Amino acid sequence: MAPPSSPPSSASAPISRHLRLWLRRRGRAGAAGATFAVALLAAALLLTLSYYASVASDSSSVRSPALVGLTLVSGAQEKGALCLDGSAPGYHLQRGSGTGSHSWLIHLEGGGWCRNLKSCASRQRSILGSSRYMERQIEFTGILSDDKSQNPDFYNWNKVKIRYCDGASFSGDVRDELQNGTRFFFRGQRIWEAVMNELVFKGMRKAKQAFLTGCSAGGLATYIHCDAFRALLPKDSRVKCLADGGFFLDVEDIAGKRTMRSFYSDVVRLQGLREKFSNCNSNLEPGQCFFPREVVKHIVNPVFILNPAYDAWQVQHALTPESSDPHHSWLDCRLDIAKCSSEQLEILQGFRKELHAAISEVKQKRDWGFYINSCFVHCQSLNSLTWHSPTSPRVNNKSIAEAVGDWFFDRREVKEIDCEYPCNPTCHNLAFVKPFKI
């Protein structure tokens, strides 16, 4: 891809087109309202997939990704493990083969959170709150691919994608169903437990190695559940975790507001999560305990942090939300980092420094790893272009897949931090047609 200072490449058109097509499809599926949570879904689930679509359309040598069917959790009603609307949660399982038949890779889907009953009601009528709207088959790409050339270390493993339909990173467990006269099921913790129990029964209990991964809100869920995942597996097995695009920062936005902290506080109160983070400092606001910077302090199992220094979603909605930019002075910069002024870039460099400070404790953990590139993107493990391809982003000449594989198999220590934007010409920086509303 051309350096950030160059004009947009032809890949920008396919990406924009897939964004529009996806939004239209979501409208037909019943997603209502231009909400904060829908904005994150667009970044977490769509943007990375549009990468793959644009590359596949330009390369006849790329074989079609595997289509993997949806499995609904059995006995979900009796277990109380239900999506927001009361439907059974689901997952997609692709069996491993050969040397990977006793290895398991679990991926937690992302898609934001709902902070109040109105936004949760909207999700009830979408794939983010009901299995009734979920696709019956999905493509497995990137870290889930079964193509060795695209996924050299994990291609033949048992691979699972767990669908996200609870609105709180697989963490809530509220018994009361009625909220203001409407039924809501805040049961993410039970969904996690029910799916894990099924996978253990289906062979994961004999895993020789296992990898819990997640993107965006699923990346946050990976931090939250990493140690619990370790406890499910044999003591002599290799078990690690990878959080992709899930290190959300508790930063002041351009107007001096704590937009993300306020949002997280609403989620924590709505789904009764404060008890789940009982080991969090009691002097902190409820929402602060939901940030990865606090969660990672208590994780024992090794974790790999995969994050862009200029996370596109966080730049748009945590650092420069529209509510804090009434004169739209940040509009062009929010859409395309190449259009940021020198003053705006200085603020973005400050955001990068906040991320570095937030992972400072991780730098001291010998078994942990990280890969922080200087790209304007959100989630990079679920598509073949950014995960592992001839044109993948690189840091110290390593693709993300190579770095993650080296770390997982202890081939070398991996603690990669890229230089400041616009130093890395290998980045696939997103360019938006218009910002997602919040």
Side-chain angles (χ1 to χ4, degrees), residues 422-437:
C423 69
N424 191 339
T426 68
C427 281
H428 293 277
N429 296 317
L430 292 173
F432 296 82
V433 174
K434 60 182 179 179
F436 294 102
K437 301 292 184 181

Side-chain angles (χ1 to χ4, degrees), residues 36-264:
F36 189 101
V38 171
L40 181 57
L41 167 70
L45 302 181
L46 161 67
L47 300 180
T48 54
L49 294 179
S50 64
Y51 275 144
Y52 182 83
S54 63
V55 146
S57 66
D58 293 333
S59 175
S60 58
S61 63
V62 177
R63 69 178 177 84
S64 298
L67 286 172
V68 183
L70 177 68
T71 299
L72 297 180
V73 170
S74 61
Q77 188 72 40
E78 293 77 13
K79 299 170 185 174
L82 301 168
C83 295
L84 285 170
D85 72 332
S87 60
Y91 58 91
H92 303 259
L93 166 62
Q94 183 182 57
R95 288 290 185 176
S97 62
T99 57
S101 58
H102 293 291
S103 298
W104 289 74
L105 189 149
I106 312 299
H107 185 85
L108 300 175
E109 184 178 43
W113 314 270
C114 53
R115 70 189 303 178
N116 52 43
L117 297 182
K118 181 179 179 180
S119 60
C120 290
S122 175
R123 292 169 77 99
Q124 285 182 325
R125 301 184 296 275
S126 76
I127 60 174
L128 288 176
S130 173
S131 59
R132 295 183 179 96
Y133 296 95
M134 291 177 185
E135 308 93 320
R136 264 36 198 177
Q137 289 185 319
I138 62 170
E139 294 181 347
F140 269 19
T141 57
I143 197 172
L144 295 175
S145 174
D146 63 354
D147 186 336
K148 187 175 182 179
S149 68
Q150 298 175 21
N151 192 23
D153 283 310
F154 311 109
Y155 72 98
N156 63 347
W157 285 30
N158 296 284
K159 295 185 291 293
V160 183
K161 182 171 184 176
I162 303 177
R163 303 304 295 268
Y164 178 39
C165 64
D166 68 277
S169 289
F170 298 90
S171 295
D173 190 5
V174 178
R175 291 186 180 183
D176 293 338
E177 299 174 9
L178 284 179
Q179 306 285 336
N180 288 355
T182 302
R183 296 180 75 187
F184 290 91
F185 296 87
F186 299 133
R187 304 286 178 77
Q189 178 65 33
R190 297 196 203 185
I191 291 173
W192 160 264
E193 292 171 358
V195 175
M196 287 299 109
N197 288 338
E198 282 201 12
L199 297 179
V200 165
F201 179 76
K202 290 184 176 183
M204 196 170 71
R205 66 183 179 277
K206 298 180 181 179
K208 294 181 179 178
Q209 46 196 4
F211 204 7
L212 178 66
T213 74
C215 160
S216 196
L220 174 57
T222 299
Y223 293 121
I224 293 170
H225 291 294
C226 184
D227 283 345
F229 183 67
R230 163 71 271 188
L232 293 169
L233 297 154
K235 293 182 179 180
D236 61 348
S237 59
R238 181 196 302 267
V239 181
K240 297 186 179 183
C241 304
L242 162 70
D244 176 13
F247 210 100
F248 296 94
L249 297 176
D250 183 13
V251 296
E252 288 187 355
D253 66 22
I254 53 175
K257 302 174 184 177
R258 295 275 180 176
T259 301
M260 280 296 293
R261 184 188 297 184
S262 175
F263 187 89
Y264 273 178

Side-chain angles (χ1 to χ4, degrees), residues 399-410:
S399 71
I400 295 169
E402 290 168 335
V404 171
D406 285 349
W407 172 79
F408 185 89
F409 294 104
D410 298 319

